[in-house]
Amino acid sequence: MKKSSWISIAVAASASALLLAGCTPASSGGDSTAARACIILPDTASSPRWESGDRPALEKAFTDAGFESDIQNAQGDEAKYATIAEQQLSEGCGVMILVDYNSAGVQVAEKAKDQGIPVIAYDRPIAGADYYVSFDNEKVGELEGQSILDGLAAVGKDPATASVVYVGGDPKDGNAAFFHDGAVKVMEAAGIKPAFETPGTWDPPTAGTGFEQAYTALGGNIDAVWVANDSNAAAVIAVLDKNGKTVPVSGQDASVAGLQNVLLGKQTATVYKPFQLEAEAASKLAIQLLQGETPSVDKKLDDGTPFIAVTPTLVGPSDVQKVIDDGNATAAEICTDAVKAACEQYGVK
């Protein structure tokens, strides 16, 4: 996988946050289970990254370091999440990396800690976790809010008088509040007040239905839509397309569909969070723990949890090539017949 130099620099910066405060022998005395990383991914619906990106990146990192990993996906099912955890814990784990799903990670973290197993909350915060590794999620929201302001400015619309709909993520996901609060901070500082706010969800059809209700309630008087991710943005854009309307729309994940919508001018920008950066930061931390080392992390959450924050970036149409250069999408995937002219316009190849 090709990676540009700016990703390498960012990885190094994240890794530098882990300063060894001391080393102690692993407590298992050679027990092979102490050399095993147990990882639970949340689903396949909220983002394609979990299976296509994070799984292979994490697996490779542990294999290269000489450790076994057990990576399973809860497939959007809290009961399955708990079952996976029970099975993993019964077989033994030296460390757990958990991506929360509807707070299912909280009880798993408690059980792991009862067994003396350190828990890393990955991408989404989990109450009681020993460490948190994620992108700076409030910054993600701030970038989304800025993309809405940029889109309004491009069409000469005053934010203070703009009719803006808010389409947030599932409130059960701890990150959804960070995205929302970061976006609101930027938009409301410019005078934006939500004309309509739909119920938060990570299910695109549900998001589309909620936005269609907003569209009807507002009689189509919509100047922009803050949307928390690309998948929901695609559902919003489908409604806008059906009504022959194009307005600034935000998103995140730099998904293929999101990048296509950015190139076509249907989505102002997408917040890019290269999974490599997050996976490398989490695996480095986990490997230190598996080796019996005691990491020290400079940044902390409000509750005192050590936090490794990775920096996201905003990708507009002129920046799409960066995502391809990093190996996180291909021109063949993005530049379909409907997008080919836009790819040529912005030098995507």
Side-chain angles (χ1 to χ4, degrees):
M1 182 176 287
K2 181 180 178 183
K3 299 181 184 178
S4 64
S5 59
W6 72 272
I7 279 228
S8 300
I9 292 169
V11 168
S14 294
S16 68
L18 297 175
L19 305 175
L20 298 185
C23 299
T24 57
S27 60
S28 61
D31 185 347
S32 63
T33 60
R36 201 168 84 111
C38 299
I39 302 161
I40 305 180
L41 304 176
D43 57 20
T44 55
S46 63
S47 175
R49 62 169 283 191
W50 303 120
E51 289 298 323
S52 63
D54 296 81
R55 177 188 287 271
L58 290 165
E59 185 174 41
K60 183 177 187 302
F62 288 109
T63 299
D64 289 351
F67 294 103
E68 180 186 349
S69 62
D70 179 358
I71 306 175
Q72 299 190 49
N73 194 309
Q75 299 294 342
D77 185 330
E78 294 98 319
K80 184 173 182 178
Y81 196 111
T83 299
I84 290 170
E86 289 288 351
Q87 174 255 314
Q88 289 180 329
L89 289 168
S90 68
E91 294 179 5
C93 306
V95 64
M96 294 198 85
I97 298 177
L98 305 176
V99 185
D100 195 23
Y101 183 79
N102 289 352
S103 300
V106 176
Q107 288 188 340
V108 175
E110 289 175 355
K111 291 180 179 179
K113 292 180 73 175
D114 285 345
Q115 296 183 29
I117 300 167
V119 175
I120 299 170
Y122 183 60
D123 193 72
R124 301 170 181 173
I126 297 175
D130 297 288
Y131 299 92
Y132 178 41
V133 177
S134 184
F135 281 87
D136 185 335
N137 292 307
E138 187 165 342
K139 180 67 174 177
V140 170
E142 291 173 5
L143 291 173
E144 289 178 341
Q146 187 58 52
S147 74
I148 294 299
L149 297 184
D150 293 344
L152 290 171
V155 296
K157 182 67 180 178
D158 181 359
T161 61
S163 175
V164 181
V165 175
Y166 291 9
V167 180
D170 190 332
K172 293 180 181 178
D173 172 2
N175 281 343
F178 287 122
F179 303 145
H180 177 275
D181 293 350
V184 166
K185 180 169 69 174
V186 170
M187 292 189 296
E188 292 192 353
I192 291 176
K193 294 181 180 178
F196 194 107
E197 187 158 4
T198 68
T201 181
W202 288 134
D203 180 59
T206 303
T209 299
F211 178 66
E212 192 144 31
Q213 292 170 347
Y215 194 95
T216 299
L218 296 170
N221 178 30
I222 296 173
D223 298 309
V225 190
W226 167 70
V227 191
N229 73 349
D230 290 348
S231 296
N232 284 358
V236 166
I237 289 166
V239 175
L240 292 170
D241 283 348
K242 184 174 69 175
N243 288 279
K245 195 174 184 71
T246 300
V247 301
V249 175
S250 66
Q252 71 169 300
D253 291 331
S255 66
V256 169
L259 293 169
Q260 289 175 324
N261 281 327
V262 167
L263 287 166
L264 292 171
K266 296 181 178 184
Q267 184 172 324
T268 308
T270 180
V271 179
Y272 180 36
K273 305 186 300 181
F275 69 86
Q276 296 101 325
L277 302 185
E278 197 172 16
E280 184 152 356
S283 60
K284 281 182 180 290
L285 173 61
I287 289 166
Q288 287 183 318
L289 293 168
L290 288 170
Q291 290 172 335
E293 299 168 356
T294 305
S296 176
V297 182
D298 292 337
K299 192 169 184 176
K300 295 182 185 295
L301 297 177
D302 290 343
D303 65 3
T305 305
F307 176 30
I308 298 174
V310 186
T311 303
T313 58
L314 195 61
V315 168
S318 299
D319 308 306
V320 171
Q321 187 63 41
K322 286 183 180 180
V323 182
I324 294 173
D325 290 343
D326 293 342
N328 291 329
T330 67
E333 291 174 315
I334 297 169
C335 301
T336 57
D337 289 345
V339 193
K340 186 175 180 180
C343 284
E344 292 175 356
Q345 178 183 353
Y346 291 104
V348 176
K349 56 186 178 180

